[in-house]
Amino acid sequence: MLLSRQQTEFYLTDLETPLGKAINLTIAALVLLSSGIFVAQTYAIPDSIRLQLDQIDTVILTIFAVEYVLRLWSAENKLKYIFSFYAIIDLIAILPFLLGLVNISFIRILRWFRILRLIRFIDSKFLFGSISSEDGIIFIRILFTLFTIIFVYSGLIYQVEHPVNAQVYSTFLDAFYFSVVTMTTVGFGDLTPISELGRLLTVLMILTGVAIIPWQVGDLIRRVVKTANQVETVCLNCGLKFHDQDAEFCKRCGTKLPSQKMD
């Protein structure tokens, strides 16, 4: 049975129904698989396996391209969708596929941005539904955000430096190590980029580390302090678990909360 435009748009964004969960879980799994393929290809693997990984990645890119077309087709305001944050990330993810017939070597850099597609799940219970503590969810989200940023920087610095500095940046792990020590401003100095673009990326890493890490840690502390005085009162409408001790209505949906039992 063919889905209507409205149904297609619903299931591509829905995270509650079984079909919506299955679609989005599949997309998330494909994003992680494609990212794992990028990492594996930075190591010395047999050509036969490398070819198989390329074929798998091509299939994944084809699926992402179809998904992008479906999202565009089902969007009520197509122009608004095209310039939305998630649509731009989706387009960046499939650009290497769309431009595959053109000899543009630097376009391969864009493939490392594909993991950013998981950002759309950060603010939902989709990836972190098994964690009951709100403090735990906040902590995992912050770690996930930092890992995603470091992963992208690692891929970029590897893609830029490996062709000109292969002995230093031989694998993804070398680039990942460099990104961590650079963004945390530890800077051991045992790995040094030699290209101009590599040095520019290093500066951006340092600025990102100085700006993002203290902000994320500060946000975590503020949220922990804020939730310290909250109690677990589950909203019967939206399922939000934590509310202020004197709250009578859900702060998310406005539904009246069940009476809190006194010890």
Side-chain angles (χ1 to χ4, degrees), residues 135-260:
D135 292 346
I137 293 176
I138 294 169
F139 183 68
I140 293 298
R141 284 175 178 169
I142 289 177
L143 286 182
F144 181 80
T145 302
L146 292 176
F147 172 80
T148 302
I149 294 173
I150 293 174
F151 182 90
V152 172
Y153 270 130
S154 301
L156 294 179
I157 197 68
Y158 173 84
Q159 204 74 40
V160 169
E161 284 294 312
H162 180 72
V164 297
N165 199 8
Q167 291 184 343
V168 176
Y169 297 89
S170 59
T171 66
F172 177 82
L173 183 60
D174 294 330
F176 189 81
Y177 164 78
F178 173 78
S179 299
V180 171
V181 299
T182 301
M183 289 189 65
T184 55
T185 66
V186 176
F188 293 128
D190 49 344
L191 300 180
T192 306
I194 61 175
S195 67
E196 291 187 3
L197 187 54
R199 291 172 179 173
L200 176 60
L201 281 172
T202 303
V203 173
L204 292 177
M205 285 184 196
I206 296 173
L207 294 177
T208 302
V210 170
I212 295 295
I213 294 178
W215 172 66
Q216 291 279 22
V217 173
D219 183 59
L220 174 61
I221 294 174
R222 287 193 300 271
R223 289 172 180 262
V224 169
V225 172
K226 182 179 179 180
T227 58
N229 296 323
Q230 293 183 342
V231 294
E232 184 172 353
T233 306
V234 181
C235 174
L236 300 179
N237 183 45
C238 69
L240 186 65
K241 293 184 178 181
F242 297 93
H243 295 83
D244 294 335
Q245 293 181 0
D246 57 350
E248 296 183 8
F249 299 91
C250 176
K251 60 183 179 181
R252 175 186 290 170
C253 67
T255 302
K256 185 173 179 58
L257 296 172
S259 300
Q260 299 179 16

Side-chain angles (χ1 to χ4, degrees), residues 69-89:
V69 172
L70 288 175
R71 288 184 184 274
L72 179 60
W73 170 73
S74 63
E76 184 175 352
N77 188 331
K78 292 179 173 50
L79 187 62
K80 181 179 179 181
Y81 169 77
I82 290 174
F83 292 100
S84 66
F85 173 76
Y86 291 135
I88 292 174
I89 294 298

Side-chain angles (χ1 to χ4, degrees), residues 57-68:
D57 190 53
T58 300
V59 173
I60 293 174
L61 273 174
T62 304
I63 295 173
F64 288 162
V66 172
E67 178 209 353
Y68 179 83

Side-chain angles (χ1 to χ4, degrees), residues 10-30:
F10 173 77
Y11 285 119
L12 285 174
T13 56
D14 172 63
L15 300 174
E16 300 296 332
T17 64
L19 181 57
K21 282 185 177 180
I23 292 173
N24 285 279
L25 180 61
T26 300
I27 293 172
L30 290 176

